[in-house]
Amino acid sequence: MSWKSIEYRLVVESGGTLYYPRVLSVSGGDDFPYQVPVYQVDIETNTNASTTGYTSPIRTDDVLRLQVNETYRVNEKPKWIDMFEGRVLKISTRLKNGNRTSLMCRGHAQEILYRKVESDYSASSARTGTILAAIVSTYLDRLTNGSPSLIDTTSSTVLTSYNVDARTKYVYDVVKELESLEGYAYRFSVVPQYTATGHYSGCYVSWQPAPTTATPTMKIIENRARLDDAEFSSSIEGLVNDLVVTGATGISGSATDAVSQGKYGVRQRDESDPTIATNYLCEQLAESTVDRYSSDIVSGKLSLIGNNLLRPGDLLPVKLPSLEINGASIDDDYRVYRISHNISAAGWKTDVVVGEAVSDVAGYIATLFKMARYSNFAIKTLV
């Protein structure tokens, strides 16, 4: 008979001291493309200051780490793994809630939401990583470019030009643009740093390629204990198999998919962008879009027994023979786009959304147009 124990703890650093209030419940998640994660953590408020659960020292903007420990043997040494790291954004308490306090927390990257690019910025023939490193070094205080750097400035895509007018964009807007200009093939993240005693010492920015092979540490297979439920869908709502892209005056390109037209009928769409200057580029835009949207789009939601192995942007192998869509069972590698955790008295549940980075054809085409304007590489399919 197997034995397993799961423990949770919250480590809050306030005024240089580490506190460990008792965790009552947790809800929150992480996304790809990047969104600054938000978690709500409810903790127990004790009136006895001598206990480790005493919460009165906790203040807004304190650094915290939500951790989980899974052990499989009675005497196994704890291995605390971070589930969420950030700062306290809001503290709430209510008379009728008794000894319960709610902490609304946001990830360390929240600084990118508040800091604007204050001066005109321009770069020519620069890699997305080089642009990001320059913006981080100039405008961010709590987030830094590490040593060694975690920002890929050698292999990321070269942009022919990139410009930001003063005070028109937050750093967050730049991050989102660079993600789309990479075709969502790169992941933005932050990596908190700690001393040997567990005290927070800073946070590095990371800009690395999204995985192109499935994660070896995690597989979803039907009838395995970690899988609680699964739901998948297939949609042809945005299907396009006959597309004309128009650029500047007299410039255009088109693409069709005869196999798709024979199966679904002709589904036409016209798109235009006057900044596209060549027929070749219009044709590439059309071909990439038709290649992506001439068949059905499959997406799914997996409900798992609590799991901390996955990260947004991972490729997850899923094998569910009992689920069939369009005559085929679910058996493929799917991109992870959202991970949600919920911890309560009932246990720990993890929901995982898999599918497309840009699920609608209009958003896909808009992203390709942006890539075409800024980048000197051939149009490629988004991840």
Side-chain angles (χ1 to χ4, degrees), residues 21-51:
R22 182 187 173 204
V23 176
L24 299 176
S25 66
V26 174
S27 62
D30 301 84
D31 296 88
F32 176 81
Y34 189 77
Q35 301 285 337
V36 180
V38 176
Y39 275 69
Q40 178 172 317
V41 184
D42 285 7
I43 58 177
E44 184 177 64
T45 305
N46 293 326
T47 57
N48 184 354
S50 66
T51 69

Side-chain angles (χ1 to χ4, degrees), residues 258-332:
V259 174
S260 175
Q261 290 178 357
K263 185 175 182 179
Y264 300 109
V266 177
R267 298 199 176 200
Q268 297 172 316
R269 189 183 184 102
D270 294 345
E271 294 291 338
S272 63
D273 185 335
T275 66
I276 305 300
T278 67
N279 292 329
Y280 174 72
L281 195 49
C282 286
E283 290 172 3
Q284 282 198 307
L285 287 164
E287 289 174 2
S288 178
T289 305
V290 168
D291 181 64
R292 180 64 165 265
Y293 286 97
S294 58
S295 59
D296 60 311
I297 298 295
V298 177
S299 60
K301 179 180 179 181
L302 304 164
S303 296
L304 310 176
I305 305 301
N307 189 286
N308 200 34
L309 296 176
L310 288 171
R311 294 293 178 265
D314 284 350
L315 277 176
L316 177 64
V318 181
K319 186 179 182 66
L320 305 171
S322 296
L323 286 186
E324 290 190 2
I325 293 180
N326 288 337
S329 62
I330 300 299
D331 185 2
D332 207 344

Side-chain angles (χ1 to χ4, degrees), residues 126-134 151-154 156-157 178 182 207:
R127 296 189 183 275
T128 58
T130 303
I131 295 169
L132 179 61
I151 300 176
D152 182 358
T153 59
T154 59
S156 50
T157 297
L178 295 180
E182 282 286 0
W207 182 250

Side-chain angles (χ1 to χ4, degrees), residues 205-230:
V205 170
S206 173
W207 182 250
Q208 293 293 322
T212 55
T213 58
T215 172
T217 59
M218 181 74 177
K219 295 180 180 180
I220 301 300
I221 301 176
E222 191 171 338
N223 296 325
R224 295 289 177 88
R226 63 173 41 135
L227 177 64
D228 183 51
D229 197 7

Side-chain angles (χ1 to χ4, degrees), residues 55-348:
T55 63
S56 65
I58 298 177
R59 300 290 185 265
T60 52
D61 205 43
D62 280 348
V63 170
L64 54 79
R65 305 169 73 178
L66 177 65
Q67 299 179 316
V68 61
N69 171 52
E70 299 182 58
T71 53
Y72 297 87
R73 293 185 299 274
V74 175
N75 296 319
E76 186 176 348
K77 184 179 179 180
K79 297 177 182 178
W80 292 103
I81 306 298
D82 293 309
M83 177 187 295
F84 168 76
E85 300 163 276
R87 290 177 180 267
V88 178
L89 185 68
K90 180 181 179 181
I91 304 175
S92 301
T93 187
R94 183 180 178 185
L95 185 62
K96 290 186 177 181
N97 281 350
N99 64 342
R100 193 182 190 99
T101 295
S102 295
L103 305 178
M104 185 64 69
C105 313
R106 185 174 277 162
H108 286 293
Q110 62 181 303
E111 187 181 11
I112 69 176
L113 299 172
Y114 310 135
R115 293 297 300 271
K116 283 195 169 185
V117 178
E118 298 179 30
S119 303
D120 290 344
Y121 175 83
S122 62
S124 299
S125 299
R127 296 189 183 275
T128 58
T130 303
I131 295 169
L132 179 61
I135 296 294
V136 167
S137 299
T138 303
Y139 295 108
L140 300 184
D141 300 317
R142 288 181 166 179
L143 302 178
T144 59
N145 190 357
S147 180
S149 177
L150 302 178
I151 300 176
D152 182 358
T153 59
T154 59
S155 301
S156 50
T157 297
V158 175
L159 305 183
T160 54
S161 65
Y162 183 78
N163 302 281
V164 180
D165 293 334
R167 298 191 67 82
T168 61
K169 293 179 181 179
Y170 290 93
V171 176
Y172 174 80
D173 300 320
V174 174
V175 170
K176 301 306 289 182
E177 279 195 334
L178 295 180
E179 281 184 320
S180 66
L181 291 170
E182 282 286 0
Y184 302 105
Y186 269 69
R187 284 196 295 195
F188 175 90
S189 62
V190 296
V191 184
Q193 306 296 306
Y194 302 94
T195 66
T197 57
H199 290 77
Y200 179 75
S201 61
C203 196
Y204 295 160
V205 170
S206 173
W207 182 250
Q208 293 293 322
T212 55
T213 58
T215 172
T217 59
M218 181 74 177
K219 295 180 180 180
I220 301 300
I221 301 176
E222 191 171 338
N223 296 325
R224 295 289 177 88
R226 63 173 41 135
L227 177 64
D228 183 51
D229 197 7
E231 178 182 355
F232 275 74
S233 63
S234 170
S235 174
I236 59 171
E237 184 177 3
L239 190 144
V240 177
N241 52 35
D242 185 339
L243 176 64
V244 175
V245 175
T246 303
T249 303
I251 300 298
S252 66
S254 63
T256 60
D257 187 322
V259 174
S260 175
Q261 290 178 357
K263 185 175 182 179
Y264 300 109
V266 177
R267 298 199 176 200
Q268 297 172 316
R269 189 183 184 102
D270 294 345
E271 294 291 338
S272 63
D273 185 335
T275 66
I276 305 300
T278 67
N279 292 329
Y280 174 72
L281 195 49
C282 286
E283 290 172 3
Q284 282 198 307
L285 287 164
E287 289 174 2
S288 178
T289 305
V290 168
D291 181 64
R292 180 64 165 265
Y293 286 97
S294 58
S295 59
D296 60 311
I297 298 295
V298 177
S299 60
K301 179 180 179 181
L302 304 164
S303 296
L304 310 176
I305 305 301
N307 189 286
N308 200 34
L309 296 176
L310 288 171
R311 294 293 178 265
D314 284 350
L315 277 176
L316 177 64
V318 181
K319 186 179 182 66
L320 305 171
S322 296
L323 286 186
E324 290 190 2
I325 293 180
N326 288 337
S329 62
I330 300 299
D331 185 2
D332 207 344
D333 298 337
Y334 295 91
R335 185 74 62 181
V336 174
Y337 288 103
R338 179 165 177 78
I339 301 171
S340 301
H341 296 289
N342 190 290
I343 298 173
S344 67
W348 174 22

